[in-house]
Amino acid sequence: MLRVRNRLLPLLGAASPLPSPIHIHLRVCRLLSTSTSTATVPAPFSLENYLVAACGFAPAQARLVSKKAFNELSRESKRSSEEHSCRRLISASNPDAILALLSGAGLSRADIAAVVFADPLILRASVSKIAPRLVALRDRVGLSTPQIARFLLVGSRALRRCDVVPKVEFFLSFLGSFDRVLAVAKANLGIFNANLEKEFLLRAEELGVPAASPLFMQAVGVVTSFPPEKVAAKLDFFKRTLGCSESEVSNAVSKMPQILALSEATLLRKIEFLVNEGAIEPQYIMQRPILLAFSLEKRLVPRYRVIKVLQGKGLLNSNMSLSSLASLAEETFKSKFVDCHKDCVPGLADAYAAACASIVPSTV
């Protein structure tokens, strides 16, 4: 979003206020006048010229944005029989009203130009529809003017197509912050257009997590962050890497949905360590997927080293599993397996601290 705005700022008189719709229209009409013989008859509306005169675009950028607008308009017209919205872009009337609306919402001239650059078809949006939605984003959702400007850079298409307010409220309540909502929206541009119940909630249930489960919102978080094909690819990764059945993988996901959010590289490093160093069977990992959620560097490796030292000195039951020890709270683990052995195993505490800091310790 910042990149879009930074590309536009040098081309805009950012300090100058956004001209009023009346002045915009007069400037465009003067620009389109070609000769004294047609001085009283405005030339056909040119979106390219309008973008230069009203939004401050350089001619090359105006040409690019105009082409983008009509390409999108062509695609949308094939999906919809609505002609009235198309007519909103054949004169300066509707674009003027949109610019005035955005300006009235508090957006700066640079903000407005960035929004138009990102979604030029906002200029033909229905003012009567998006005006109350902008007000609701401010008054009902509580977004500040800068947040509304940032939202429009990714959500303006949804804003002009549907009432996005309930969806923004939902994702804010679930994800916890506006920045996280925007991050998810960038990765999945359709989230504000989707029917939450029929799409995301259904997909979460399809992962094997019932709506009544306390883990259901974790599952919703996964499916809102990743498109279906990426989730399917991650499920296939577990089957291929661990040699597990589909039901085993589904059972693991139902216990810990967030393992689907981990990158394949991260998962592969953890799996290799657990199988090769920890001698843990793949099926056991799928039965206890929390092992994959633990940090490799800060929990699994350091605790594994403590286990091996204590077992080597006959101070720990050889049947003590890494999964059991990895699940302990940090203070509990240190108290039971590090601090209580500091006298008989000098250097154990320092070695553990060094391992947690990803520093290779000397032999204990």
Side-chain angles (χ1 to χ4, degrees):
M1 292 182 289
L2 289 176
R3 288 198 299 270
V4 172
R5 182 168 174 171
N6 290 339
R7 290 172 62 185
L8 295 171
L9 281 175
L11 303 171
L12 302 170
S16 62
L18 189 73
S20 70
I22 294 176
H23 291 158
I24 291 171
H25 188 62
L26 291 175
R27 286 167 56 193
V28 173
C29 288
R30 285 196 297 268
L31 182 66
L32 298 180
S33 297
T34 56
S35 69
T36 56
S37 62
T38 60
T40 59
V41 181
F45 176 74
S46 166
L47 177 60
E48 185 176 326
N49 290 339
Y50 183 88
L51 292 170
V52 173
C55 298
F57 286 113
Q61 282 194 315
R63 193 175 307 114
L64 175 67
V65 175
S66 179
K67 181 178 180 180
K68 175 182 176 182
F70 285 106
N71 285 341
E72 291 186 13
L73 190 61
S74 176
R75 288 194 297 270
E76 289 194 3
S77 64
K78 293 177 182 178
R79 298 194 298 266
S80 172
S81 59
E82 183 186 8
E83 296 181 358
H84 182 63
S85 62
C86 297
R87 292 199 296 270
R88 298 193 197 111
L89 209 54
I90 62 175
S91 75
S93 177
N94 202 83
D96 284 351
I98 292 294
L99 295 186
L101 175 64
L102 296 178
S103 180
L107 274 68
S108 69
R109 191 167 190 254
D111 289 334
I112 294 172
V115 171
V116 174
F117 185 88
D119 178 26
L121 289 192
I122 195 172
L123 294 175
R124 61 115 186 195
S126 169
V127 174
S128 63
K129 289 182 179 179
I130 70 170
R133 294 168 188 169
L134 284 173
V135 171
L137 286 174
R138 182 193 64 197
D139 296 344
R140 178 171 150 187
V141 181
L143 299 188
S144 64
T145 298
Q147 286 177 325
I148 290 175
R150 292 171 61 202
F151 169 80
L152 288 175
L153 292 178
V154 296
S156 65
R157 288 174 175 81
L159 181 79
R160 56 185 170 84
R161 291 171 181 164
C162 64
D163 183 7
V164 299
V165 175
K167 294 163 188 179
V168 174
E169 288 180 314
F170 170 82
F171 288 113
L172 275 173
S173 66
F174 173 65
L175 296 172
S177 74
F178 177 72
D179 286 342
R180 291 188 65 189
V181 172
L182 283 191
V184 169
K186 287 181 184 178
N188 190 346
L189 294 176
I191 67 169
F192 296 125
N193 288 315
N195 183 306
L196 293 178
E197 182 177 357
K198 291 184 178 179
E199 183 166 323
F200 295 117
L201 304 188
L202 180 61
R203 284 174 56 200
E205 288 186 332
E206 288 174 349
L207 290 179
V209 185
S213 169
L215 299 174
F216 185 68
M217 293 308 288
Q218 293 182 11
V220 173
V222 170
V223 299
T224 56
S225 300
F226 302 97
E229 58 271 17
K230 286 193 176 182
V231 173
K234 190 64 62 65
L235 293 172
D236 185 63
F237 166 83
F238 283 117
K239 289 189 287 186
R240 288 184 289 103
T241 305
L242 291 169
C244 296
S245 67
E246 185 171 338
S247 62
E248 287 174 321
V249 174
S250 296
N251 183 56
V253 171
S254 70
K255 293 179 179 179
M256 183 138 301
Q258 63 262 44
I259 63 174
L260 293 175
L262 300 174
S263 70
E264 290 189 6
T266 297
L267 287 168
L268 191 58
R269 290 174 60 236
K270 291 180 181 180
I271 291 171
E272 288 177 344
F273 171 79
L274 292 170
V275 173
N276 298 331
E277 298 291 327
I280 297 176
E281 293 294 329
Q283 287 72 19
Y284 186 90
I285 297 174
M286 288 288 92
Q287 292 168 7
R288 293 165 178 79
I290 192 172
L291 286 169
L292 298 174
F294 291 136
S295 168
L296 180 63
E297 292 79 10
K298 297 185 181 301
R299 180 168 292 215
L300 294 178
V301 170
R303 295 190 182 190
Y304 174 76
R305 288 178 176 169
V306 168
I307 292 173
K308 300 307 291 183
V309 169
L310 295 179
Q311 287 178 341
K313 295 183 180 295
L315 298 172
L316 186 66
N317 187 327
S318 60
N319 293 326
M320 199 73 174
S321 69
L322 174 59
S323 62
S324 299
L325 294 177
S327 299
L328 294 175
E330 177 64 13
E331 289 304 315
T332 301
F333 177 82
K334 286 183 64 179
S335 174
K336 290 186 175 182
F337 300 99
V338 179
D339 295 342
C340 67
H341 296 296
K342 62 182 179 182
D343 293 332
C344 54
V345 187
L348 180 63
D350 291 338
Y352 178 68
C356 289
S358 300
I359 301 172
V360 179
S362 57
T363 302
V364 177

